[in-house]
């Protein structure tokens, strides 16, 4: 796969004071997709063909429900349901099928998924997640390139402790996919030092936070780092999920 560089948004995100600049980029993109979909994109045939097929995941149904365009959401959900009913008629129509222990390969040689797996795939598929994944791969590619090519960016990357765990996996994936044998160890060393350095700090702060609950430490005020350590740890482990880091830009719709 060929990726294009998208330098400006990546530089902007790394210049901000946040726990994971890639989480920041992801949240901003997510907000843009939600807005775009609910303002007019849902009327475009190409977009509707996609959303009819995929529907949305839990998070994105919830976020769309919280915005005010009920008509847009109703129209997309209606045509998605029509498509889903057609496919469920087939899946649930295959009555009396037993679960196969070994994957079944059909006449075409393709692996046939079990019925629960087919339904689960429907539940998991999401047009916004698909769009986000494509964009985040481009941003991760740009991050890897900038970290190798620019000293000022390398310093910002270190100062942020690299990225959260899900985005560390994404960066490593892009490094494996796109870097030469010569460049890869260089980027991987930077990633390892940055990510592990920040995780060790968070681990220490978290320990110091737990010590606050010991009666022998009563009256000693926790450091700001210890105070925020639970939030920092969760956002590092799972990507921005709690506190200000996870907040979408304010909306008045
Ligand atoms: Zn992240
Ligand atoms: Zn989604």
């Amino acid at each position: 796969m060929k990726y294009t560089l998208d330098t400006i948004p990546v530089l902007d995100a790394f210049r901000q004071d946040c726990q994971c600049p890639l989480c920041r980029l992801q949240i901003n993109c997510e907000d843009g997709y939600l807005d775009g979909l609910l303002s007019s994109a849902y009327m475009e045939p190409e977009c509707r063909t996609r959303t009819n097929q995929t529907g949305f995941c839990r998070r994105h149904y919830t976020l769309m429900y919280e915005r005010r365009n009920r008509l847009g959401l109703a129209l997309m959900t209606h045509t998605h349901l029509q498509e889903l009913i057609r496919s469920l008629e087939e899946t649930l129509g295959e009555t009396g099928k037993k679960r196969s222990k070994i994957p079944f390969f059909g006449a075409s040689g393709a692996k046939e998924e079990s019925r629960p797996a087919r339904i689960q795939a429907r539940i998991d598929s999401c047009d916004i997640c698909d769009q986000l994944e494509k964009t985040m791969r481009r941003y991760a590619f740009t991050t890897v390139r900038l970290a190798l090519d620019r000293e000022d960016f390398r310093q910002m990357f270190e100062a942020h402790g690299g990225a959260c765990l899900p985005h560390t996996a994404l960066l490593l994936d892009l490094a494996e996919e796109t870097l030469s044998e010569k460049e890869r160890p260089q980027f991987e060393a930077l990633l390892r030092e940055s990510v592990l350095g920040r995780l060790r700090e968070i681990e220490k702060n978290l320990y110091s936070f737990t010590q606050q609950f010991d009666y022998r430490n009563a009256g000693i005020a926790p450091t700001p780092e210890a105070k925020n350590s639970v939030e920092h740890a969760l956002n590092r482990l799972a990507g921005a999920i709690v506190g200000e880091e996870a907040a979408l830009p304010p909306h008045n719709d």
Side-chain angles (χ1 to χ4, degrees):
M1 169 110 195
K2 245 191 142 10
Y3 299 95
T4 47
L5 283 169
D6 208 348
T7 309
I8 293 168
V10 174
L11 277 176
D12 281 349
F14 274 85
R15 284 185 182 125
Q16 289 177 43
D17 179 20
C18 60
Q19 289 171 54
C20 173
L22 289 163
C23 279
R24 180 61 62 90
L25 281 166
Q26 185 165 322
I27 286 173
N28 287 340
C29 284
E30 187 176 47
D31 185 57
Y33 289 138
L34 285 165
D35 264 356
L37 254 183
L38 288 173
S39 61
S40 60
Y42 69 88
M43 291 307 286
E44 293 163 13
E46 193 193 313
C47 171
R48 257 319 239 297
T49 309
R50 285 199 323 261
T51 63
N52 285 348
Q53 187 63 37
T54 58
F56 300 95
C57 66
R58 267 169 85 107
R59 171 174 172 85
H60 292 127
Y61 273 129
T62 311
L63 288 173
M64 282 195 291
Y65 182 78
E66 284 166 1
R67 304 206 172 185
R68 280 242 297 267
N69 188 348
R70 280 299 152 84
L71 177 63
L73 181 56
L75 286 168
M76 279 189 288
T77 308
H78 172 237
T79 49
H80 171 60
L81 263 184
Q82 289 180 319
E83 178 120 5
L84 179 77
I85 289 165
R86 271 196 293 275
S87 106
L88 268 187
E89 275 169 355
E90 198 186 306
T91 308
L92 294 178
E94 298 167 10
T95 51
K97 241 187 167 183
K98 264 181 85 179
R99 186 210 292 258
S100 152
K101 288 223 172 71
I102 338 158
F104 173 75
F105 290 89
S108 64
K111 188 177 150 192
E112 191 183 281
E113 282 193 295
S114 72
R115 291 179 302 156
R118 268 185 269 160
I119 296 174
Q120 192 58 49
R122 281 277 179 176
I123 297 166
D124 293 339
S125 66
C126 171
D127 184 60
I128 295 178
C129 284
D130 290 349
Q131 303 302 316
L132 268 179
E133 194 191 328
K134 277 186 220 143
T135 310
M136 289 312 296
R137 289 190 78 76
R138 197 172 70 237
Y139 286 153
F141 168 71
T142 307
T143 304
V144 170
R145 269 307 353 144
L146 287 173
L148 284 167
D149 299 341
R150 285 178 55 162
E151 178 55 30
D152 61 335
F153 187 83
R154 204 155 34 241
Q155 285 173 13
M156 292 193 283
F157 188 87
E158 278 171 341
H160 277 96
C164 69
L165 202 53
H167 287 133
T168 296
L170 183 63
L171 290 170
L172 195 56
D173 191 35
L174 265 293
E176 286 179 357
E177 188 185 335
T178 63
L179 296 184
S180 67
E181 296 283 312
K182 198 168 150 258
E183 287 174 318
R184 213 179 304 138
Q186 212 183 322
F187 176 75
E188 288 182 6
L190 173 73
L191 185 68
R192 183 178 62 241
E193 292 310 311
S194 308
V195 169
L196 283 172
R198 178 55 50 87
L199 282 177
R200 287 187 192 110
E201 268 172 40
I202 294 175
E203 183 268 327
K204 280 199 188 75
N205 293 334
L206 208 47
Y207 176 71
S208 129
F209 177 76
T210 62
Q211 292 307 100
Q212 300 302 311
F213 295 88
D214 188 324
Y215 71 94
R216 285 166 296 192
N217 295 327
I220 304 172
T223 61
E225 291 76 23
K227 225 170 141 185
N228 297 325
S229 61
V230 175
E231 190 184 283
H232 287 172
L234 299 186
N235 286 340
R236 273 276 136 175
L237 291 169
I241 50 165
V242 291
E244 262 176 47
E245 292 287 316
L248 270 93
H251 273 266
N252 43 14
D253 61 351

